[in-house]
Amino acid sequence: MNILAIESSCDDTAAAVVRDGRTVLSSCVSSQIEMHSIYGGVVPEIASRKHVEAVSGLADKAVSDAGLTKADLDAVAVTYAPGLIGAVLVGVNFAKGAALALDLPLIPVHHVRGHIAANYITHPDLEPPFVCLCVSGGTTAIVDVRSYTSMAVLGSTRDDAAGECFDKVARVLGIGYPGGGPMDRLAQGGDDQAYPLPVAHVSGAELDMSFSGLKTASLNLIHNAQQKGEALDLPAFAASFGKAVSDSLIPRVMAAARQTGYGKIAVAGGVAANRRIRADLQAACTQSGDRLFLPELCWCGDNAAMIGCQGFFEFQAGHLAGWDLNAYATRDIALG
Ligand code: KG4
């Protein structure tokens, strides 16, 4: 089954063709980062307009890069939640038009379910049930992936997402947007013990997380150093920050793995590219005996191939949309 997939939930317009949920025939991404970096963050109105300009051409390119014609397509899948509402609406309306014109079924896909499904591309043998740590710019959650389409959140951040925290700290340091990648690179070789930063515990909710305290402590540390005219050891600061994020995430994922007893842990989302988090998880899994599944770096960030993968499993479960499909800024992953 060949699925044309569309993703436009934030600042990447993407189209892909995926066969049978695991084979990526093509994947095209048009990034808007250059445009938004002028403002130090995503400007929703600009994002929506750029999606409108790019989506149609990208979909055509995805079909031709796959070596197919439109007649070879069997369905259209699209991210319908969560995300910037104007941005998601562009993809949803394009997908509706394409499905209607080509007389194909329309499959709605939850963006975070898509991130989880990116693991099926890298690991053909990965099958639910497993526990997945979902960490991106908008989401930080530990998800119980019971089956391809039945999921429940075991724990999540009470405030900021981990990626948002990386981005905010990097912006104040002036090292670029989005900040996770530059912080990760800066941290290489830095002394992670140099700047002790807080790791929050949410009392009564063992698997929940909180990053606002870490963000505030980091920003205060940077501002204090600036006010005193002291130079920060940037690699050491970035390494200390990466350690604090990792120390917030890893013990909770491991606790979720113990709780469920699946023996399989996956990671998903843009922050899943982080070297410290990947290495710490690998070490924790080596110790616990859990099998760890890491997506290839190219499938960590937003892309449409992951939407095509999840779309296949949603289709198999009979989850199809009508022409009244709406877009949602927020939506529980359990609802699909
Ligand atoms: O999944 P994604 O592309 O978009 C969302 O769905 O949010 O994730 C983007 C986030 C940004 O916050 C970015 O700074 C972060 O992923 N990120 C990283 C790394 N690469 C991207 N964070 C930490 N380390 C990285 N290497």
Side-chain angles (χ1 to χ4, degrees):
M1 175 179 199
N2 298 323
I3 295 182
L4 169 66
I6 306 292
E7 154 66 39
S8 68
S9 64
C10 190
D11 58 350
D12 292 303
T13 322
V17 178
V18 178
R19 180 167 291 163
D20 297 338
R22 294 193 186 246
T23 306
V24 180
L25 301 184
S26 66
S27 174
C28 307
V29 181
S30 166
S31 170
Q32 306 174 359
I33 282 178
E34 217 173 288
M35 176 69 69
H36 297 292
S37 58
I38 305 168
Y39 305 96
V42 179
V43 182
E45 177 66 18
I46 294 176
S48 307
R49 288 170 185 269
K50 289 278 152 199
H51 287 313
V52 170
E53 285 170 18
V55 68
S56 179
L58 272 184
D60 277 344
K61 184 165 165 21
V63 176
S64 68
D65 282 3
L68 303 178
T69 68
K70 287 172 189 147
D72 301 314
L73 299 173
D74 299 300
V76 180
V78 65
T79 299
Y80 80 108
L84 299 171
I85 191 65
V88 186
L89 269 169
V90 175
V92 165
N93 283 319
F94 176 82
K96 278 187 198 177
L100 185 65
L102 300 171
D103 195 21
L104 296 175
L106 177 65
I107 310 168
V109 177
H110 189 287
H111 180 74
V112 183
R113 286 187 174 209
H115 273 304
I116 295 170
N119 282 285
Y120 304 138
I121 307 172
T122 304
H123 305 286
D125 57 333
L126 174 61
E127 287 179 2
F130 57 90
V131 164
C132 189
L133 170 64
C134 302
V135 266
S136 67
T139 303
T140 298
I142 299 166
V143 177
D144 179 355
V145 185
R146 293 178 187 139
S147 75
Y148 288 107
T149 54
S150 167
M151 300 178 203
V153 174
L154 298 172
S156 62
T157 181
R158 292 287 180 103
D159 37 59
D160 299 329
E164 199 179 333
C165 201
F166 268 108
D167 293 341
K168 184 57 80 61
V169 170
R171 185 163 83 179
V172 172
L173 288 175
I175 59 168
Y177 173 83
M183 286 284 281
D184 189 0
R185 284 190 288 280
L186 196 59
Q188 300 313 303
D191 172 10
D192 66 6
Q193 306 291 326
Y195 297 96
L197 291 166
V199 174
H201 296 274
V202 181
S203 63
E206 194 201 352
L207 301 182
D208 278 354
M209 296 151 276
S210 164
F211 292 95
S212 64
L214 170 62
K215 186 176 76 181
T216 307
S218 303
L219 300 184
N220 284 344
L221 197 148
I222 297 166
H223 288 142
N224 281 340
Q226 282 166 349
Q227 278 161 7
K228 290 183 193 156
E230 290 170 5
L232 268 187
D233 177 343
L234 284 179
F237 174 74
S240 304
F241 180 83
K243 173 179 171 6
V245 174
S246 185
D247 287 351
S248 300
L249 299 171
I250 276 71
R252 289 171 177 83
V253 187
M254 301 315 291
R258 278 196 302 276
Q259 218 175 77
T260 56
Y262 295 148
K264 287 189 268 183
I265 299 175
V267 198
V271 184
N274 186 268
R275 276 171 272 197
R276 173 73 195 236
I277 294 168
R278 291 170 87 97
D280 286 355
L281 262 175
Q282 190 67 69
C285 286
T286 302
Q287 205 173 22
S288 68
D290 289 290
R291 227 182 125 192
L292 178 63
F293 297 86
L294 296 167
E296 279 167 271
L297 295 183
C298 62
W299 305 123
C300 289
D302 287 348
N303 65 84
M306 65 187 198
I307 302 302
C309 292
Q310 184 60 24
F312 174 74
F313 297 109
E314 299 290 350
F315 179 84
Q316 286 201 317
H319 299 159
L320 298 179
W323 304 129
D324 58 348
L325 174 66
N326 207 347
Y328 299 91
T330 58
R331 188 161 170 91
D332 190 336
I333 194 169
L335 298 173

